[in-house]
Amino acid sequence: MRHLIGMTLALSLLGAAPAIAADAMDIVKKANHASYYVGDDGRAKVAMTITDDQGRAREREFVILRKDEDETDGPQNFYVYFNKPADVKKMVFMVHKNVDRDDDRWLYLPALDLVKRIAASDERTSFVGSHFYYEDVSGRGINEDLHELIEENDATYVIHSTPKDKDAVEFAYYKNWIHKGTSLPIKTEYYDVNGNVLRSYAALKVDLVDGHPTVTAAEMKDHQSGGKTVMTYSDVKYDVGLPEDIFTERYLRKAPRKYLR
């Protein structure tokens, strides 16, 4: 709770809270836009630290490229290229995020020179051994859940979300604490049917990037098996001018190095 209060105070310096609360879906739409749709495209370097329940840590480094297909919060593409460690170097994770159907996801494994399609059923499994899921990287579709505003204070909205397809996910519901001034989710908790927390997300740091409040450090904890993963973002840029053809199967094997430096 102390962390949440501290983050809320820091975020208050980035943007003033609106005077009138919107309805739940409107809040969720704004949060989704603030998290995944800033600018026409974006690029960031990511350092990932995966810590298990015994305190042992592993490191990964990668670059994320993102491009929107249109000016609305609709289809978009993600390209994730791994630099470190050696066992994942040159591995690529690519997503074509769809609005009206399951996302298309690919994983290129350079050691086997194999392109693997990731099934929709695998979206909520570990992202390269971390405590984040594949779905966490590109975002969950806002129409996959029913949203309700259950709490509000001067700084945040608390949204309770229930999946429409309960068999497709491992959680019964989740709660999002969304900062009013920036519309960024600063805390998320996923619960089972008994109300136990399965996983929890926290925005650890928020910076202004080209005038946009941007999460530059985030943490995901697993409350069942233990352990956590922290992702730290650097060299974040928006409106880079990424070509559309980067996000095709051709570039899974041939990395677009100009945009990955």
Side-chain angles (χ1 to χ4, degrees):
M1 182 59 71
R2 181 180 302 172
H3 163 75
L4 181 58
I5 293 171
M7 176 59 71
T8 301
L9 290 174
L11 284 165
S12 67
L13 300 177
L14 298 177
I20 301 175
D23 65 25
M25 192 56 168
D26 188 40
I27 296 168
V28 170
K29 286 180 179 178
K30 290 179 179 178
N32 187 56
H33 180 88
S35 299
Y36 295 101
Y37 287 92
V38 175
D40 293 331
D41 62 25
R43 174 191 179 280
K45 294 181 179 178
V46 183
M48 172 187 281
T49 301
I50 306 166
T51 307
D52 66 17
D53 60 343
Q54 298 182 40
R56 296 172 298 191
R58 293 174 291 147
E59 307 288 337
R60 299 196 187 283
E61 292 182 11
F62 51 92
V63 177
I64 295 181
L65 306 177
R66 183 264 303 172
K67 186 175 182 62
D68 301 345
E69 290 190 10
D70 53 44
E71 296 181 356
T72 63
D73 292 359
Q76 58 183 181
N77 301 318
F78 292 84
Y79 184 102
V80 182
Y81 181 85
F82 287 81
N83 290 305
K84 295 180 181 179
D87 62 338
V88 297
K89 185 176 176 62
K90 298 183 180 181
M91 188 172 74
V92 179
F93 170 58
M94 186 171 70
V95 181
H96 289 178
K97 186 175 178 180
N98 304 309
V99 177
D100 55 351
R101 64 185 189 280
D102 291 334
D103 295 345
D104 297 306
R105 288 176 165 86
W106 296 262
L107 189 65
Y108 172 60
L109 304 173
L112 302 174
D113 192 26
L114 173 67
V115 173
K116 176 184 177 183
R117 288 293 296 265
I118 299 176
S121 59
D122 291 334
E123 291 177 0
R124 299 199 59 77
T125 57
S126 171
F127 175 62
V128 294
S130 75
H131 300 88
F132 286 85
Y133 289 169
Y134 282 99
E135 188 178 68
D136 297 325
V137 177
S138 55
R140 181 170 173 80
I142 61 175
N143 294 315
E144 295 185 60
D145 308 305
L146 298 173
H147 308 286
E148 179 186 3
L149 176 61
I150 60 171
E151 189 179 333
E152 177 183 357
N153 57 40
D154 290 342
T156 59
Y157 299 114
V158 182
I159 302 292
H160 181 288
S161 300
T162 306
K164 295 177 182 178
D165 184 357
K166 299 185 188 318
D167 294 331
V169 294
E170 80 292 345
F171 60 87
Y173 63 93
Y174 62 96
K175 294 180 184 178
N176 248 327
W177 282 256
I178 298 173
H179 180 254
K180 287 185 174 181
T182 63
S183 292
L184 288 172
I186 57 175
K187 177 181 173 183
T188 308
E189 291 183 341
Y190 297 88
Y191 299 84
D192 64 16
V193 292
N194 297 315
N196 300 310
V197 179
L198 299 173
R199 293 191 310 147
S200 62
Y201 163 91
L204 301 180
K205 187 180 180 184
V206 175
D207 292 310
L208 278 175
V209 178
D210 298 334
H212 302 289
T214 301
V215 174
T216 53
E219 176 185 76
M220 187 72 77
K221 290 183 178 180
D222 187 324
H223 295 266
Q224 302 300 299
S225 62
K228 66 180 182 179
T229 296
V230 173
M231 292 205 293
T232 304
Y233 301 79
S234 63
D235 197 20
V236 181
K237 296 179 181 178
Y238 298 117
D239 296 314
V240 179
L242 297 173
E244 291 185 7
D245 63 352
I246 285 177
F247 304 93
T248 60
E249 288 194 53
R250 172 191 174 192
Y251 281 92
L252 291 173
R253 288 185 168 90
K254 182 182 178 182
R257 300 194 178 281
K258 174 182 176 182
Y259 301 98
L260 297 171
R261 297 190 184 98

